[in-house]
Amino acid sequence: MLQVPIGEQEHLQEFFALCSREGREQEGQEVKLLLQALGQMERQYQEVAEELKIVKKELAGLQNQGIRSSALAVVYQVEKRIENGKSQLAAIWEKVTAGVEQAVERARTEGALALSHAIDLIRIPTALKHLECGLGQTVGYTAHARENLQQMKEEFSSAKVHLKNVGRVFTGKERIPLLSEKDKERLDTTGYLLGAIGDRLTKTQETVGQVLDRLAAFRERTEERSGVRPSVKKSLRDRIWDKKEGKRTSPETEKTRE
């Protein structure tokens, strides 16, 4: 998304110049901060994608075929959720930049007053809330995947495998192979990497929350300046979470962000 720096993109330069000329510097600054935050999230997703490549490479090298296929299936599910988050982020970026381009085009044909409507279109808390929620779920699923790998490692430890093989000897079934030390090391490595991925995704989720808080505060200031009393004055920093479901339980909070 940021192949060209924000300050060098022509339509963004023109948009910020329009905001400055028409006394809308604050609105222009909010858009710039939003785009920078989206760019930061994109970089975090790229780092996660690179770490996932290492995870899959480690798991593909497992000698135990049963664990290899099961472990890769778990990681593919993590990857699928991360790809979905990247798509959501790209859609948000597209919506913001499309709003900027629309603002510039309308200002050319209809005058600077058209900026107000376009800037409202740029503020997209609903899409950001969906992204934040998805990130929270992905963080939880990543932690679950890490636990699954650890359980696989324990299930194939020498003591448990020995007990299972005792019964297999009497039934004539093929013995379960012990997990090699190399495979144990690979599972430990992937567990560590999944932990790091979870930390990165948590930081991305926090970034989304900060952007939402800033947009809500900006909206509140704008309404106060225009003489419109906000329906809800409570800060988003007082968000209440349902620990069991990982969802907010404060309707006032959600109303503030929308």
Side-chain angles (χ1 to χ4, degrees):
M1 297 188 302
L2 279 178
Q3 294 178 355
V4 179
I6 291 175
E8 297 178 14
Q9 297 183 33
E10 184 176 349
H11 63 285
L12 291 177
Q13 287 180 325
E14 187 170 354
F15 174 78
F16 297 138
L18 275 170
C19 289
S20 179
R21 188 166 65 245
E22 300 301 323
R24 309 294 294 274
E25 292 92 344
Q26 190 170 11
E27 286 89 338
Q29 181 65 13
E30 288 298 326
V31 173
K32 179 179 285 189
L33 290 173
L34 174 58
L35 290 171
Q36 289 174 342
L38 293 177
Q40 178 184 346
M41 294 178 215
E42 181 194 27
R43 287 188 289 272
Q44 290 168 338
Y45 267 120
Q46 288 173 340
E47 290 170 353
V48 166
E50 290 302 314
E51 289 173 341
L52 268 179
K53 289 180 182 179
I54 300 174
V55 168
K56 290 190 294 184
K57 184 177 179 180
E58 286 290 329
L59 293 178
L62 288 171
Q63 297 173 350
N64 188 300
Q65 185 176 355
I67 288 186
R68 182 171 68 240
S69 59
S70 298
L72 283 172
V74 169
V75 171
Y76 285 141
Q77 287 300 313
V78 173
E79 185 177 42
K80 182 178 179 180
R81 291 168 182 266
I82 290 172
E83 288 298 325
N84 184 55
K86 288 171 63 178
S87 297
Q88 286 182 293
L89 181 63
I92 294 171
W93 176 272
E94 185 67 27
K95 188 173 183 179
V96 173
T97 54
V100 169
E101 291 176 358
Q102 182 185 25
V104 172
E105 185 60 31
R106 291 188 65 179
R108 289 171 181 167
T109 58
E110 302 175 30
L113 290 177
L115 277 176
S116 298
H117 181 61
I119 288 174
D120 285 340
L121 290 177
I122 290 167
R123 293 163 60 194
I124 46 171
T126 301
L128 284 169
K129 282 190 291 186
H130 287 309
L131 177 62
E132 183 185 34
C133 180
L135 279 164
Q137 293 173 349
T138 305
V139 168
Y141 195 88
T142 303
H144 182 63
R146 185 182 184 186
E147 292 172 1
N148 278 349
L149 294 185
Q150 182 61 34
Q151 288 175 0
M152 290 179 195
K153 176 184 171 182
E154 292 176 358
E155 283 296 320
F156 281 79
S157 65
S158 58
K160 290 190 176 183
V161 170
H162 176 71
L163 289 175
K164 291 178 181 178
N165 281 336
V166 169
R168 284 176 170 265
V169 168
F170 289 104
T171 58
K173 294 182 179 179
E174 183 179 352
R175 291 187 179 186
I176 300 173
L178 285 173
L179 196 63
S180 69
E181 290 301 316
K182 186 64 176 179
D183 279 359
K184 290 180 183 178
E185 291 176 7
R186 288 186 183 279
L187 288 173
D188 286 338
T189 299
T190 53
Y192 171 80
L193 289 171
L194 286 174
I197 287 171
D199 290 341
R200 288 193 189 280
L201 293 173
T202 297
K203 289 180 180 178
T204 306
Q205 184 184 15
E206 291 171 352
T207 301
V208 178
Q210 292 164 5
V211 172
L212 284 166
D213 286 352
R214 191 172 62 242
L215 287 175
F218 171 69
R219 177 178 180 176
E220 189 173 293
R221 292 194 304 269
T222 301
E223 290 175 337
E224 287 176 347
R225 286 200 306 269
S226 62
V228 177
R229 183 177 180 181
S231 57
V232 179
K233 301 285 289 182
K234 189 175 181 180
S235 171
L236 288 176
R237 299 187 184 283
D238 297 330
R239 289 175 294 191
I240 301 174
W241 288 80
D242 184 327
K243 293 183 179 180
K244 292 183 179 180
E245 297 183 3
K247 297 179 180 178
R248 295 185 187 82
T249 58
S250 171
E252 292 84 0
T253 294
E254 292 305 313
K255 191 173 181 182
T256 303
R257 278 191 169 180
E258 292 176 353

